[in-house]
Amino acid sequence: MRMDKAQRYYLQRMGIDVYLERDAVSVQPVPVVAVDKHVTADTEAAWEVLRNEVAQCIKCELHKSRTQTVFGVGNQQANWLIIGEAPGAEEDRQGEPFVGRAGKLLNAMLQAVGLQRDEVYIANILKCRPPNNRDPRPDEVSACRNYLRRQIDLIQPHIILAVGRVAAQNLLQTETPIGRMRGQRYSYADTGIPVVVTYHPAYLLRSPREKRKAWQDLQLAMQIYKESL
Ligand code: URA
């Protein structure tokens, strides 16, 4: 909501903080979980099969060093799907994506556009932690690709937010630097699902001045999402 001078004045008179105005925020409630998505016994069964397959996966070397697989978390009927890179140490310990420091920032980023963590679905390109948080290797990404694809097919999100270079490049099958991918609308594979790319929260913790760009990306994603309703 862009506020004009008069609005600011009245809000201030009413004792309402107007610090959000600087960046043209719109946090009016929008429906973020589809109530009308078709949940059948088949869909439930497909989730169960997939979850078990991932838990037992030994398709790449990462199974040897993991504590557990990190399947994904959130609302299976979510309209928003957030995709990161791979579990880190804390995620490997807890079995849930984005639970460390970067996860806390991700939650705050989502909240800034009115999304709660439990209203979206959060997954990663890889379901297992690469040792010492190294970049995923191409064979690991290939081994895991079908799991993510099946999650996407089950969720049928209205929008995918790719956080970080690894997620963006692998989802969109490109080597374009992340800085050049931001600010645009892409589509995921053959699905037509819009994808918006933003910086990884771990990067934003190291480079807080880039948060402003991430904020713009989130606004773009929200705008595209609203158009999909
Ligand atoms: N970084 C990611 O990309 N994913 C996680 O789950 C945690 C940190």
Side-chain angles (χ1 to χ4, degrees):
M1 183 174 68
R2 204 33 153 188
M3 272 178 276
D4 62 23
K5 254 182 163 175
Q7 278 176 303
R8 277 171 71 97
Y9 171 76
Y10 286 118
L11 284 169
Q12 264 161 352
R13 287 277 305 262
M14 287 159 69
I16 294 172
D17 267 332
V18 290
Y19 66 93
L20 286 174
E21 182 271 341
R22 197 161 54 100
D23 280 323
V25 189
S26 171
V27 283
Q28 285 135 359
V30 280
V32 289
V33 177
V35 281
D36 54 347
K37 274 194 196 162
H38 222 54
V39 183
T40 61
D42 283 353
T43 343
E44 291 295 343
W47 274 109
E48 200 51 31
V49 168
L50 181 55
R51 194 178 281 280
N52 288 334
E53 254 180 70
V54 168
Q56 291 162 27
C57 183
I58 50 168
K59 283 194 202 164
C60 79
E61 292 290 295
L62 294 181
H63 76 275
K64 293 183 183 157
S65 51
R66 75 186 178 214
T67 304
Q68 58 191 311
T69 55
V70 178
F71 181 72
V73 73
N75 196 309
Q76 293 174 5
Q77 273 105 268
N79 285 340
W80 283 70
L81 174 59
I82 318 300
I83 301 181
E85 176 176 333
E90 201 49 42
E91 289 76 22
D92 173 73
R93 238 188 315 273
Q94 295 191 34
E96 183 171 327
F98 284 104
V99 287
R101 273 186 78 217
K104 293 206 168 57
L105 179 54
L106 177 66
N107 295 346
M109 289 162 69
L110 294 173
Q111 278 170 353
V113 282
L115 299 170
Q116 301 302 316
R117 183 179 168 96
D118 59 5
E119 292 171 332
V120 303
Y121 198 91
I122 306 177
N124 283 310
I125 295 288
L126 292 192
K127 309 299 187 216
C128 295
R129 180 190 182 210
N132 306 314
N133 299 336
R134 65 157 169 74
D135 276 3
R137 294 188 176 140
D139 63 306
E140 296 159 354
V141 173
S142 307
C144 241
R145 182 167 289 124
N146 180 255
Y147 296 140
L148 183 61
R149 174 69 205 227
R150 283 158 67 191
Q151 285 177 307
I152 294 171
D153 288 345
L154 284 167
I155 298 167
Q156 294 182 22
H158 284 222
I159 185 149
I160 295 175
L161 182 70
V163 297
R165 174 184 59 84
V166 170
Q169 292 184 341
N170 282 296
L171 278 176
L172 300 172
Q173 301 282 292
T174 174
E175 292 187 353
T176 308
I178 184 161
R180 293 222 324 260
M181 295 173 85
R182 298 184 40 252
Q184 293 176 62
R185 175 194 178 129
Y186 296 88
S187 281
Y188 172 67
D190 55 349
T191 63
I193 300 169
V195 177
V196 171
V197 169
T198 194
Y199 289 121
H200 196 287
Y203 168 74
L204 295 173
L205 287 170
R206 297 192 301 272
S207 312
R209 289 172 66 167
E210 301 286 54
K211 282 184 185 172
R212 189 180 179 82
K213 292 186 190 156
W215 169 234
Q216 289 164 352
D217 300 333
L218 284 162
Q219 285 185 295
L220 171 66
M222 184 50 88
Q223 182 195 321
I224 293 171
Y225 171 63
K226 284 181 179 166
E227 285 164 10
S228 79
L229 292 176

